Amino acid sequence: FTAGVTDLKPGEPVLLEGPYGNFSFTKMHRLHQIWVAGGIGITPFLAMARSLDPILKYRVTLYYIIKTESEAVFLDELEAVSKQHEHFKVIPIFTHLQGRPTGTVIITGKRVKHTDVRISGPAMMMNTTRRHVGVGGVPLHHIFTGHFIWS
């Protein structure tokens, strides 16, 4: 589909649908949440961070996993959100310096049995992270992944 967008002419009518799915922090059961974003997987979390209401008591830690500092295109905005929302914390992980995080890094110090985990990014990263945080004690029914799949 994306390749065909370039064939559109200015002013040509289009029909848009969506959004699809329910990858939203408000549909989760627990107020304590861990968000793990790899690469382009930051996009749903960016939208969620923008919509956080400081009055609501969500406690969110976002791990933003990118290879280099230059790829962290939304980090400044996310850090600005964290300054406005005392219960939102963003932790960038630059894999070229720090390596890929393990589940232990992600859940250390968290009340894992009372925390929901959202993961979005490349399939291999999501599968590995899901396995790691599951082994670390997060119940599997507390772990949710966002897949970019069109059918």
Side-chain angles (χ1 to χ4, degrees):
F1 169 78
T2 306
V5 171
T6 59
D7 295 335
L8 292 172
K9 307 287 185 261
E12 191 171 345
V14 296
L15 175 64
L16 300 176
E17 295 181 8
Y20 294 97
N22 58 3
F23 194 75
S24 169
F25 71 97
T26 61
K27 298 190 186 265
M28 298 174 80
H29 302 291
R30 284 154 277 293
L31 295 177
H32 293 149
Q33 300 179 18
I34 297 171
W35 300 349
V36 183
I40 193 64
I42 193 64
T43 53
F45 296 120
L46 182 62
M48 288 189 269
R50 289 172 177 162
S51 67
L52 280 172
D53 185 341
I55 295 170
L56 300 176
K57 296 302 177 193
Y58 289 100
R59 297 182 182 276
V60 177
T61 303
L62 166 63
Y63 291 89
Y64 187 9
I65 304 168
I66 47 283
K67 186 174 181 182
T68 64
E69 293 88 341
S70 65
E71 293 177 6
V73 293
F74 297 110
L75 185 56
D76 290 342
E77 181 178 351
L78 291 165
E79 288 175 337
V81 170
S82 74
K83 289 177 183 166
Q84 297 169 352
H85 194 299
E86 67 178 306
H87 300 297
F88 177 74
K89 182 178 183 181
V90 60
I91 300 173
I93 297 178
F94 303 110
T95 60
H96 81 286
L97 295 174
Q98 299 163 269
R100 299 193 184 283
T102 64
T104 306
V105 168
I106 293 169
I107 62 173
T108 296
K110 307 293 188 297
R111 299 172 33 200
V112 295
K113 296 201 185 312
H114 304 285
T115 301
D116 279 334
V117 178
R118 287 267 182 204
I119 309 166
S120 182
M124 185 181 297
M125 181 282 275
M126 288 193 303
N127 293 336
T128 301
T129 303
R130 181 180 175 86
R131 189 172 54 253
H132 283 188
V133 297
V135 168
V138 176
L140 291 179
H141 63 279
H142 291 205
I143 305 169
F144 306 89
T145 54
H147 297 271
F148 295 96
I149 299 172
W150 293 95
S151 55

